[in-house]
Amino acid sequence: MSVKILMVCLGNICRSPLAEGILRSKLSEKFIVDSAGTGGWHAGELPDKRSIAIARLKGLDISNQRARQFKVSDFTTFDHIFVMDNTNYKEVIALAPNEATKSKVKLILNEIFPNDNNDVPDPYYGGIDGFENVYNMLDQACDEIARKLKK
Ligand code: 4NP
């Protein structure tokens, strides 16, 4: 059985598509990586052009991804749920059917800065620099996630 990992942000067009693409690139096909947004406004859309561009610059193609909204059944489908910020955390936890599923949900930056509860900043209203910053943070966090998953 494959280990399944879900990346979650607000819109599923900026941060979590990058997290999905980055983590997938660090793991074998035995792992399933997906992403979703707590909000559904962008469902069906491609990742933001700036996320596609920064990923391409780093050698990843994320243009096959399409946004979707997080759903309660994701708690059953996925083994690990990484959220990008504290608001995502609250929204996802509020949907958890029981305590056991809550323990699947983690702030992604706690992988590299344990217990700091840092947010991956939402780059949507800024420039491409913000996307590069997000990419670099996620790259480091995903290195750590991949290292743990391969153990
Ligand atoms: P994301 O960024 O949560 O990283 O995908 C956002 C994308 C869209 C919006 C907000 C954040 N929006 O308000 O439409």
Side-chain angles (χ1 to χ4, degrees), residues 80-125:
H80 303 278
I81 299 171
F82 290 104
V83 295
M84 301 297 125
D85 67 32
N86 283 274
T87 305
N88 308 149
Y89 185 84
K90 286 192 200 95
E91 300 223 341
V92 170
I93 286 289
L95 297 172
N98 55 49
E99 291 302 314
T101 48
K102 285 184 188 174
S103 68
K104 293 182 176 183
V105 186
K106 292 187 178 132
L107 274 167
I108 193 164
L109 289 186
N110 277 353
E111 298 302 303
I112 45 173
F113 303 114
N115 306 314
D116 276 8
N117 298 336
N118 290 336
D119 291 342
V120 177
D122 184 347
Y124 189 63
Y125 293 104

Side-chain angles (χ1 to χ4, degrees), residues 45-80:
E45 292 179 18
L46 274 73
D48 187 283
K49 284 191 179 71
R50 296 162 294 175
S51 284
I52 293 177
I54 198 72
R56 190 162 287 149
L57 203 67
K58 307 280 185 178
L60 296 179
D61 182 5
I62 63 165
S63 65
N64 60 330
Q65 295 185 33
R66 295 296 178 271
R68 72 168 177 89
Q69 188 167 19
F70 180 85
K71 49 185 193 278
V72 173
S73 62
D74 288 326
F75 284 113
T76 323
T77 308
F78 292 91
D79 303 293
H80 303 278

Side-chain angles (χ1 to χ4, degrees), residues 19 23-24 36 42 60 100 115 136 141:
L23 184 64
R24 185 179 292 118
H42 295 282
L60 296 179
N115 306 314
N136 291 334

Side-chain angles (χ1 to χ4, degrees), residues 9-17 41-42 122-125:
C9 63
L10 172 61
N12 192 210
I13 56 169
C14 298
R15 292 166 292 175
S16 59
W41 319 281
H42 295 282
D122 184 347
Y124 189 63
Y125 293 104

Side-chain angles (χ1 to χ4, degrees), residues 14-49:
C14 298
R15 292 166 292 175
S16 59
L18 281 173
E20 175 186 335
I22 292 168
L23 184 64
R24 185 179 292 118
S25 76
K26 296 179 191 290
L27 294 172
S28 73
E29 285 168 8
K30 281 190 296 189
F31 295 87
I32 290 175
V33 187
D34 192 11
S35 64
T38 57
W41 319 281
H42 295 282
E45 292 179 18
L46 274 73
D48 187 283
K49 284 191 179 71

